[in-house]
Structure formats: structure tokens, C-alpha cells
């Protein structure tokens, strides 16, 4: 049984399908990257998988159970979703924001304190813990949100981590650390589905790549089979060539 399964998932806006008839299976242990041009429907698809809004048509099952059948609390324990943008306009400290990740779960005070500290250290924001989150740089805010979401994924019922462009604001070292955390999560009997723009990074680090174009899933498979020069030209309109294992343009 797939951890996550969609059948004929469709989202319509003004009569047009912006996510169109998506059939998708995500298995435990996988790190899957969703790629595609701006406006392809990646964020819309991820939002619907996260249950933010129901799709116009089609089904989503998590652990064999249709989304509508889940209780809110159980859903928030099973799945964590990091949107593309999570602006914060409240005077919360970094520690308080990270701690929000524990809300769906019931931790003892001691466990909570230990896990929040671990999240702060893993995401390299321990030294910012008491700062007002609105005063952080873009990359620091991103790590704060990642730490919150990571914390939500730590309790045992959590199975699926959905992240929309988690690497976009991160420098190289923090991208590497983030990928390590995502890989470790997938390796811990869970699954990760993330949006990425760096095709070479997807070729190297994903177990599987989903290529979305104009709302349709045009390819789903091993990174090097999906992200060929021909496919990149067809979907992104950019001529590339392979140099070793590297796509150049
Ligand atoms: P991506 O994340 O791949 O860049 P999105 O999923 O954000 O793309 O958007 C897909 C398409 O749907 C875009 O053309 C976008 O303008 C459109 N869209 C997204 N949300 C809405 C909305 N609420 N109303 C109308 N159009 C929308
Ligand atoms: Mg997007």
C-alpha cells in the first residue's frame, strides 16, 4: 500500500484545470522531488495533498484512508506541510515559532524542551533562539520554519513531509544540511515530497522526480531518466547538454 496515493486529482480555477488528472503514489522511504516551470501547478498540488483545500475532483488517500475521513488532529500528526511562503507578522521569538511544531502532538514539558533545543541546533538557529522572528534574514526565517516543521515530523505518528521550495533561500551549507535532514527523515520510515528548482540537485539527490508542466504530470521516474536534455528542452524551453552527470546551459 502506498503511503500517499492520488487518483485523477484535479484542481480547477475559472473553468481551467491548473492541476490536471494527477495519479501519484509515494512510498515509505522515498525522497521525491517535484519540479516544473513557474506556474506549472506545483504549489497548488502540494497544498491539496496537504489538505489545505479539497481538490475539485479526484481522490487523495494517506495510509489508505481518504482525506475526508481523517480527524484534524490525526491528520496534523501524520503529515507536516511547509508552504512556499510562511510570512510571520507576530512578535514571536524563534524558539516560540519552532515550538509551534509540537502543537499537534502531546509532549511532556521535559521532552518538549529537549526537542525544541534539538531542532534549534540541527537547523543552526540556536544562537537566534530569543530573537524576534521578524528580524531574521530570509534564509534564517526559512531555517526557523524548517525547524518548526521538522519538529512536527519527529513524533512517531508522523509519516509524510511536504515542503514547497525548502531550499530556495538557503546558502550552500544550509542546503546541504537541509538535504541531510530530509534524507534522514525518509530513511526513518517516512517519506518526503518537496518542490525543487535546481535540476542538477534533483538529479543527484532525489530517489524519484515528478515533472509537472501546465498542471499535468508529464514524467515520473528515476531522476536521470526524467531529467534528460530532451525533456528539459520540451518542458522548460531551455537547451542543455550533459557534461558527465551535469546538465549545463
Ligand atoms: P507553481 O508553484 O508551479 O509555480 P502554482 O501552483 O502556484 O504554480 O500556480 C499554478 C497556476 O495557477 C498559476 O498560473 C497561478 O497563477 C494559478 N493560480 C494559483 N492559485 C490561483 C488562484 N487562487 N486563483 C487563480 N489562479 C491561481
Ligand atoms: Mg510554487
Amino acid at each position: 500500500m502506498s503511503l500517499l496515493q492520488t487518483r485523477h486529482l484535479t484542481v480547477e480555477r475559472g473553468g481551467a484545470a491548473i492541476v490536471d488528472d494527477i495519479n501519484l503514489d509515494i512510498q515509505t522511504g522515498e525522497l521525491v522531488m517535484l519540479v516544473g516551470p513557474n506556474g506549472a501547478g506545483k504549489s497548488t498540488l502540494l497544498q491539496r495533498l496537504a489538505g489545505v483545500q479539497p481538490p475539485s475532483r479526484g481522490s487523495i488517500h494517506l495510509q489508505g484512508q481518504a482525506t475526508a475521513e481523517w480527524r484534524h488532529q490525526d491528520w496534523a500528526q501524520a503529515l507536516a506541510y511547509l508552504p512556499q511562503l510562511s510570512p510571520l507578522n507576530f512578535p514571536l521569538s524563534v524558539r516560540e515559532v519552532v515550538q509551534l511544531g509540537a502543537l499537534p502532538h502531546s509532549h511532556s514539558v521535559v521532552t518538549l524542551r529537549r526537542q525544541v533545543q534539538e531542532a534549534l541546533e540541527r537547523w543552526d538557529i540556536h544562537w537566534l533562539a530569543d530573537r524576534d522572528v521578524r528580524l531574521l534574514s530570509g534564509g534564517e526565517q526559512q531555517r526557523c520554519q524548517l525547524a518548526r516543521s521538522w519538529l512536527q515530523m519527529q513524533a512517531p505518528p508522523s509519516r509524510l513531509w511536504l515542503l514547497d521550495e525548502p531550499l530556495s533561500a538557503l546558502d550552500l551549507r544550509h542546503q546541504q544540511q537541509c538535504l541531510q535532514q530530509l534524507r534522514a527523515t525518509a530513511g526513518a520510515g517516512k517519506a518526503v515530497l518537496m518542490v525543487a528548482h535546481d535540476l542538477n540537485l534533483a538529479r543527484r539527490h532525489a530517489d524519484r522526480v515528478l515533472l509537472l508542466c501546465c498542471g499535468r504530470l508529464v514524467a515520473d521516474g528515476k531522476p536521470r531518466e526524467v531529467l534528460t536534455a530532451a525533456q528539459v528542452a520540451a518542458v522548460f524551453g531551455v537547451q542543455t547538454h550533459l557534461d558527465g552527470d551535469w546538465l549545463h546551459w
Side-chain angles (χ1 to χ4, degrees), residues 12-125:
E12 287 181 346
R13 290 266 176 216
I18 55 175
V19 168
D20 196 0
D21 199 32
I22 304 288
N23 296 310
L24 187 61
D25 287 273
I26 305 280
Q27 312 296 340
T28 297
E30 284 191 302
L31 170 53
V32 182
M33 296 198 191
L34 174 61
V35 305
N38 293 149
K42 304 179 297 298
S43 294
T44 307
L45 173 59
L46 220 64
Q47 262 181 19
R48 294 320 192 271
L49 298 180
V52 176
Q53 275 180 273
S56 311
R57 281 196 304 282
S59 63
I60 305 171
H61 285 77
L62 181 65
Q63 295 176 240
Q65 200 177 337
T67 39
E69 293 166 9
W70 281 80
R71 288 175 48 227
H72 286 306
Q73 173 91 11
D74 296 336
W75 183 257
Q77 289 182 349
L79 175 151
Y81 165 53
L82 183 67
Q84 190 168 356
L85 297 171
S86 328
L88 279 166
N89 285 316
F90 299 101
L92 295 173
S93 71
V94 168
R95 187 189 305 280
E96 286 167 331
V97 171
V98 171
Q99 199 164 319
L100 293 174
L103 270 181
H105 306 287
S106 42
H107 294 293
S108 71
V109 174
V110 176
T111 307
L112 178 63
R113 195 173 302 142
R114 182 176 49 74
Q115 287 211 337
V116 169
Q117 190 58 32
E118 188 180 343
L120 290 165
E121 285 169 21
R122 273 179 192 266
W123 294 93
D124 191 23
I125 47 173

Side-chain angles (χ1 to χ4, degrees), residues 53-207:
Q53 275 180 273
S56 311
R57 281 196 304 282
S59 63
I60 305 171
H61 285 77
L62 181 65
Q63 295 176 240
Q65 200 177 337
T67 39
E69 293 166 9
W70 281 80
R71 288 175 48 227
H72 286 306
Q73 173 91 11
D74 296 336
W75 183 257
Q77 289 182 349
L79 175 151
Y81 165 53
L82 183 67
Q84 190 168 356
L85 297 171
S86 328
L88 279 166
N89 285 316
F90 299 101
L92 295 173
S93 71
V94 168
R95 187 189 305 280
E96 286 167 331
V97 171
V98 171
Q99 199 164 319
L100 293 174
L103 270 181
H105 306 287
S106 42
H107 294 293
S108 71
V109 174
V110 176
T111 307
L112 178 63
R113 195 173 302 142
R114 182 176 49 74
Q115 287 211 337
V116 169
Q117 190 58 32
E118 188 180 343
L120 290 165
E121 285 169 21
R122 273 179 192 266
W123 294 93
D124 191 23
I125 47 173
H126 49 291
W127 53 286
L128 297 165
D130 298 316
R131 192 175 297 175
D132 184 326
V133 73
R134 296 169 300 176
L135 304 178
L136 301 184
S137 78
E140 290 165 348
Q141 282 198 23
Q142 181 78 342
R143 294 199 326 268
C144 180
Q145 294 291 359
L146 279 159
R148 176 184 60 75
S149 192
W150 177 87
L151 184 59
Q152 191 180 347
M153 285 298 296
Q154 293 316 295
S158 67
R159 301 299 303 281
L160 179 64
W161 200 1
L162 303 172
L163 307 105
D164 199 345
E165 300 195 29
L167 305 175
S168 57
L170 302 186
D171 63 40
L172 193 56
R173 181 166 68 91
H174 291 112
Q175 283 191 26
Q176 187 187 43
Q177 287 176 352
C178 181
L179 280 168
Q180 284 166 355
Q181 297 300 337
L182 299 176
R183 173 57 68 195
T185 302
K190 306 182 186 205
V192 177
L193 172 58
M194 60 173 277
V195 176
H197 274 300
D198 184 334
L199 303 184
N200 280 312
L201 181 139
R203 279 173 62 90
R204 289 179 70 84
H205 293 282
D207 294 320

